[in-house]
Amino acid sequence: MMKIKAQGIKLGAVILIAEITFILIFAFLGDYDLSSLPDNPGDTSVHLTYPMFQDVHVMMFVGFGFLMTFLKRYGYSSVGVNMLVAAFVLQLALIVRGFIHYDIIGGQRFQVTIGEMLSADFAAAAVLISFGAVLGKVSSLQLLIMATIEVILAQLNEYIGLHKLHASDMGESMYVHVFGAYFGLSVARVLYNEHVHGSRKEGPVYHSDIFSMIGTVFLWMYWPSFNAGAAEGHEQMRAVVNTYLSLSACAIMTFALSALLDKNGRLDMVHIQNATLAGGVAMGTAADMPVHPWGALLIGSVAAIISVLGFKFLTPLLSSRLKLHDTCGVNNLHGMPGLLAGISAAVMGALSSPDTWGDSMCKIFPAREGCGDNSTDLNRSALEQGGYQMAALSVTLAIAIGGGILTGFILKIPFLDAPERDMLFDDQHSWNVAEQQFPDVLVESEGKHEKNSMTYM
Amino acid sequence: MMKIKAQGIKLGAVILIAEITFILIFAFLGDYDLSSLPDNPGDTSVHLTYPMFQDVHVMMFVGFGFLMTFLKRYGYSSVGVNMLVAAFVLQLALIVRGFIHYDIIGGQRFQVTIGEMLSADFAAAAVLISFGAVLGKVSSLQLLIMATIEVILAQLNEYIGLHKLHASDMGESMYVHVFGAYFGLSVARVLYNEHVHGSRKEGPVYHSDIFSMIGTVFLWMYWPSFNAGAAEGHEQMRAVVNTYLSLSACAIMTFALSALLDKNGRLDMVHIQNATLAGGVAMGTAADMPVHPWGALLIGSVAAIISVLGFKFLTPLLSSRLKLHDTCGVNNLHGMPGLLAGISAAVMGALSSPDTWGDSMCKIFPAREGCGDNSTDLNRSALEQGGYQMAALSVTLAIAIGGGILTGFILKIPFLDAPERDMLFDDQHSWNVAEQQFPDVLVESEGKHEKNSMTYM
Amino acid sequence: MMKIKAQGIKLGAVILIAEITFILIFAFLGDYDLSSLPDNPGDTSVHLTYPMFQDVHVMMFVGFGFLMTFLKRYGYSSVGVNMLVAAFVLQLALIVRGFIHYDIIGGQRFQVTIGEMLSADFAAAAVLISFGAVLGKVSSLQLLIMATIEVILAQLNEYIGLHKLHASDMGESMYVHVFGAYFGLSVARVLYNEHVHGSRKEGPVYHSDIFSMIGTVFLWMYWPSFNAGAAEGHEQMRAVVNTYLSLSACAIMTFALSALLDKNGRLDMVHIQNATLAGGVAMGTAADMPVHPWGALLIGSVAAIISVLGFKFLTPLLSSRLKLHDTCGVNNLHGMPGLLAGISAAVMGALSSPDTWGDSMCKIFPAREGCGDNSTDLNRSALEQGGYQMAALSVTLAIAIGGGILTGFILKIPFLDAPERDMLFDDQHSWNVAEQQFPDVLVESEGKHEKNSMTYM
């Protein structure tokens, strides 16, 4: 009991110190969007960006939060700790991005714009994906340490990809999904605990699976806003349409594969909850590119196939052979479909030409030949652009895996209160919840209580 | 077991073939919105239509999906198969609408615009309403066949109503709600199975009813977007206000009627989940017409009365006397309130005049006298317009009922795997779900497991 | 049984009479937004205000509705009666506001604009906050009477505050949150019933707590729309950013405090469900003021501290010592954070100057010196403005507490069917729900049913 009490004090103290630090950094280095400062007309068009930002916000807090509630005894942590981690990352990401994108040393202050808030949500997405790989196996304190390291590395990686390699990634399937998935999987590998096998707590009850579907449908519906939120003009329109079509194909193909591969011909809820979303990931990098409606449908269909096959065959194999236990199957939902996204966009880059792409080519690939502005007068050929897209994907994988392994070892520090064997996949590790409140044991406790119904109140 | 395995293979194969067909059709005949093609400035104003489109999207996937989760053992199918059917229809409807509204034969390509995506969601709504009538009594394969026939007929009916009869239906209460309800009811009648009576599975548990309320509130809140999404200018403003007021009156009148009619004076959850929404349906056709705020309140109030009376008296009667078993009561939520919508708009049409309607008259009824443009130089009197509104309602009923009966017989083909007696209203027909996961049997299985709590992990 | 039947008739009759009255008042005194009348071009820009209105709408119906579903046997009432009360208030508030803000006597008609619909949602918020204080302890009929009195008093108070005292309150933390909380608490105090103590029904089961989190996250995500919905230009941008930052800090500080204060170092679900939202309330009044990002983070952090301390120490004390039983802890979520909001804004007012505020000063405080327009040529100093802000807060408290006490005594009339001892916190007071449907007794009834599984259907 003393140990748990200490665990609470540590968590509380770390958050307190973090929040005080955040406030001080914002006080000395941060500011509003200059356009929301008095006497500055600027861009006050909240209505242009805000609705899509809110859709993405729903994806982070309802989408990820509820998607992970499928475990029968880990719902408080899924939706609750998801909120803690996301809200923590929002503030941290604004600061980290400030240091990267503003001349802080030169006296500039970083700005909190709606665009930056959208980017902060993207930063949260990467961390929440990693959370999925280690769900039920780490403490809140471990998660906050993981989040801190991951946000810094992911933002650096995004900076390298966008501003050094000039690799396009509109829906950030490389910089968010691939990064988050392989970072999280690397952490999970290092933290591998043999006791995860055979736990009866690592499973759903009927209603926890339906809670999870709340997350699925909100992610599915609002994904076009994720892939198009940062775009403009007809690139934005195309990102909406491509993502919508990719997801539609992915959803129905997931049902097909789930039924075809099952030994009894029945559908599997895990596939429906997760693989239906792979089309959003797979479309992310090329979202604003002219892949044409049929191309979007094809990408979504392939994503479904990869994702269901992954859940069916790869995840059990990774767990039993490679000691890589992936609680939510993020490799199947974010990892492999993210690789597909990166490769699709590299192919598109290698095929890009001003004849078929029009003015979109230079907007999407400013480093292509003939697009030269001051910052990126690189005159790349189409093939070169394709190569740089692959380079960005490779760099992302390298930083994610390397950073994840390093982070995993850091998280092993005993100070961070990893849950012990009997507290895996169990909210009782860190929440006040009586055993008899759980749906799978409601019977016994309430059976007693019914016998005493005379003295009920 | 062989039979179930075969069932999965059939479902998977049908979806696979459908998706390959969709991709080929989109490749040869479809394209982006021309305005999202490179070098075409066009209409890139995503922000004007996208937020309302997303609201309607939420109605389809969260609204309909969760509304139907009230059954204690049919939640996976409700929210999961709802997603399958809706995503299938989205793609199909874009194609069917392409053939109807574009000169495909003449070499034109159909376009995927946000407006078309909204129309595809409307097409999904009709099918999901029909799904409600047969919920728990058909297989996924039957549903996909039903959806295919229904989308084609519904789009043809809409074309006849809008472009031949020039009957206005802004929120498509005729072309979507009346069509979907009576098509589905006709299917349900033909598929009547006496074993539906007395099944203990056809009922809720406490938490399945609360899941259902997630669907109710999202449908209720976003209905103004459904009725106004395709409108513009002050017609759009009026459609928002009318629907909002109609729903407000409908919600409270539903509580009044539910309490007044109950033999014990208590509220009935079925009424609250469904009849509160009838005001959205009843306001649909005249949504953009100047019915005035009090008129909207009145329409919503009458819708509540009709709907609660329907649930209370008509549904049991139809089931016992006419062998018409309507699982979700779609006749009460979509059927009769849809008729009210059609009749209200016919009355409004018969009363329309340029003096009181101003420029709205020609925008809403382009076939009225003095509105003549090239396509509709029909010079109808007010009374004639009212008559044509009723004609559109009648045609809708005829095509829906005729098409539904035909479809019902097609769905009887044994190949389509209708669930047998013991699998009615049961997810085990097509999902991998262990008996002990269901909320109503959690006790027994987990009781055993508790006895073994020493060896828990 | 006769008594319950009578209860239903009374509820139904009151709603019926109310709705007929509403329809008559709208018919004689109400109209559309003039801009949605025919032949009036006017402001038809639905897309500017509608998305934020819909966010606020979601907060009312999903947010408040589901937040209160935490009780194990009161979920129907929480989400259902929440809908009844909110839909009732929407119509009532449009009328009451019409009488206050339009020259009805002079023949003017009040208009239903999207701005007024937003204000009606704000009016509903106040009543739903009060509902939280008395949740499980009053009948629907009592709630409707309470709502009627409260809406009138709250709208009068808002009128005094905004138009007589010229006190700014963009997110209405004073006029909505403080008012709703202390009105509701005063009602709860007068209605105090000693039998609330020790009821086993006043608690959650695991899944009811997760339903409650649906409410929490939607309130949390969309709160920037609540605080910024009525603002414009860069004041609106600032209101979004301030509220977003305040909530982010509040969320993580709630976790810190919850863990630090718990005797076992564990997190408490009640804190996460509620105190994470206090940052939205605390930021409400000064939402559009230039408090700077660090100021918003600080306000959110302080709100979390106040709120968690309140739940931990004050609520039990009020209940045991002062006979003030606050079911949802509205004092901690809306009351004290609302006071913090009012005081923060008063401090900001006292510090306001044209040098640092620019043109925002006169937009936010039109009564400040140098801002004189015809209506408010008051030339207040900064300190005076601060004083008037405190005056508005004091008037709000006085009217809320006085009105609440009065209302409490009115609600004691036996005609209004307050639930008796054994029906506290129990849906069976007013809903048709079988005992065996409740999650906490599912075992016994379904245990029997399993024994009869041979005759299952």
Side-chain angles (χ1 to χ4, degrees), chain B residues 253-274:
Chain B
M253 285 295 282
T254 297
F255 278 84
L257 270 283
S258 186
L260 284 172
L261 294 177
D262 188 68
K263 67 177 192 293
N264 297 322
R266 289 202 179 97
L267 298 165
D268 194 318
M269 205 32 155
V270 172
H271 305 156
I272 308 311
Q273 283 161 353
N274 293 280

Side-chain angles (χ1 to χ4, degrees), chain C residues 348-359:
Chain C
M348 287 302 293
L351 296 172
S352 65
S353 86
D355 297 341
T356 50
W357 289 46
D359 66 346

Side-chain angles (χ1 to χ4, degrees), chain C residues 37-357:
Chain C
L37 289 178
D39 286 332
N40 194 324
D43 170 30
T44 54
S45 46
V46 171
H47 66 280
L48 284 179
T49 44
Y50 185 74
M52 281 198 177
F53 158 72
Q54 275 293 4
D55 293 350
V56 173
H57 221 39
V58 170
M59 293 174 73
M60 295 306 112
F61 288 86
V62 172
F64 281 109
F66 277 89
L67 184 60
M68 298 192 286
T69 56
F70 69 96
L71 292 172
K72 68 180 95 168
R73 292 170 163 230
Y74 211 62
Y76 289 8
S77 299
S78 297
V79 68
V81 175
N82 182 81
M83 191 182 188
L84 166 65
V85 170
F88 176 84
V89 169
L90 295 185
Q91 299 171 68
L92 177 64
L94 288 169
I95 293 172
V96 171
R97 290 181 59 82
F99 275 94
I100 293 176
H101 296 281
Y102 290 82
D103 181 17
I104 301 289
I105 310 297
Q108 210 181 9
R109 280 169 167 266
F110 66 85
Q111 297 173 25
V112 186
T113 66
I114 294 187
E116 282 297 312
M117 285 158 58
L118 184 65
S119 294
D121 268 1
F122 273 53
V127 176
L128 299 179
I129 291 164
S130 303
F131 184 16
V134 297
L135 187 75
K137 301 175 292 190
V138 293
S139 68
S140 296
L141 196 52
Q142 287 179 301
L143 281 172
L144 293 180
I145 304 300
M146 183 187 88
T148 306
I149 304 172
E150 182 170 1
V151 167
I152 295 169
L153 293 179
Q155 292 300 322
L156 284 173
N157 177 62
E158 188 208 72
Y159 179 78
I160 294 169
L162 286 181
H163 298 283
K164 295 297 166 191
L165 300 173
H166 300 286
S168 181
D169 192 10
M170 181 46 71
E172 302 235 328
S173 289
M174 298 194 293
Y175 308 143
V176 165
H177 292 282
V178 168
F179 192 96
Y182 292 105
F183 186 95
L185 290 167
S186 304
V187 170
R189 176 64 189 82
V190 175
L191 295 182
Y192 178 74
N193 174 341
E194 63 176 2
H195 300 303
V196 296
H197 299 295
S199 165
R200 283 202 55 167
K201 295 177 189 170
E202 195 194 2
V205 291
Y206 193 64
H207 280 169
S208 68
D209 260 339
I210 293 180
F211 278 117
S212 182
M213 283 300 289
I214 297 173
T216 299
V217 284
F218 274 103
L219 286 167
W220 195 91
M221 296 180 302
Y222 286 154
W223 212 296
S225 298
F226 192 95
N227 283 352
E232 288 177 356
H234 54 231
E235 280 75 27
Q236 186 174 49
M237 185 82 84
R238 223 182 289 135
V240 166
V241 170
N242 284 339
T243 309
Y244 165 92
L245 289 172
S246 177
L247 283 164
S248 299
C250 182
I252 75 171
M253 286 295 283
T254 297
F255 279 84
L257 271 282
S258 186
L260 284 173
L261 294 178
D262 187 67
K263 68 177 190 293
N264 296 322
R266 291 203 178 94
L267 298 165
D268 194 319
M269 206 32 156
V270 172
H271 304 157
I272 308 310
Q273 284 160 353
N274 293 280
T276 50
L277 301 167
V281 178
M283 196 66 247
T285 306
D288 55 345
M289 300 179 194
V291 299
H292 293 284
W294 70 270
L297 292 172
L298 185 63
I299 289 172
S301 301
V302 175
I305 296 170
I306 291 174
S307 190
V308 176
L309 288 174
F311 276 104
K312 194 83 193 172
F313 303 111
L314 195 56
T315 299
L317 214 67
L318 292 177
S319 179
S320 60
R321 298 286 173 82
L322 297 186
K323 299 184 174 181
L324 181 44
H325 181 273
D326 177 4
T327 313
C328 295
V330 301
N331 185 46
N332 313 309
L333 169 47
H334 303 278
M336 295 188 297
L339 296 176
L340 173 61
I343 294 167
S344 312
V347 171
M348 287 302 293
L351 296 172
S352 65
S353 86
D355 297 341
T356 50
W357 289 46

Side-chain angles (χ1 to χ4, degrees), chain A residues 19-38:
Chain A
E19 188 55 51
I20 292 168
T21 312
F22 290 163
I23 293 175
L24 290 173
I25 295 176
F26 273 86
F28 287 106
L29 304 176
D31 213 332
Y32 292 119
D33 186 354
L34 289 186
S35 67
S36 65
L37 290 178

Side-chain angles (χ1 to χ4, degrees), chain A residues 220-221 223-225 227 237-251 279-280 283 287 293 296-297 300, chain B residues 26 50 53-54 57 61 86-87 89-94 112-122 124:
Chain A
W220 195 90
M221 296 181 302
W223 212 296
S225 298
N227 283 352
M237 185 81 85
R238 225 183 287 135
V240 166
V241 170
N242 284 338
T243 309
Y244 165 91
L245 290 172
S246 177
L247 284 164
S248 299
C250 182
M283 195 66 247
L297 293 172
Chain B
F26 272 87
Y50 185 75
F53 159 73
Q54 275 294 4
H57 221 40
F61 288 86
V89 169
L90 295 184
Q91 299 170 68
L92 178 63
L94 289 169
V112 187
T113 65
I114 294 186
E116 282 297 312
M117 285 159 57
L118 184 65
S119 294
D121 268 0
F122 273 53

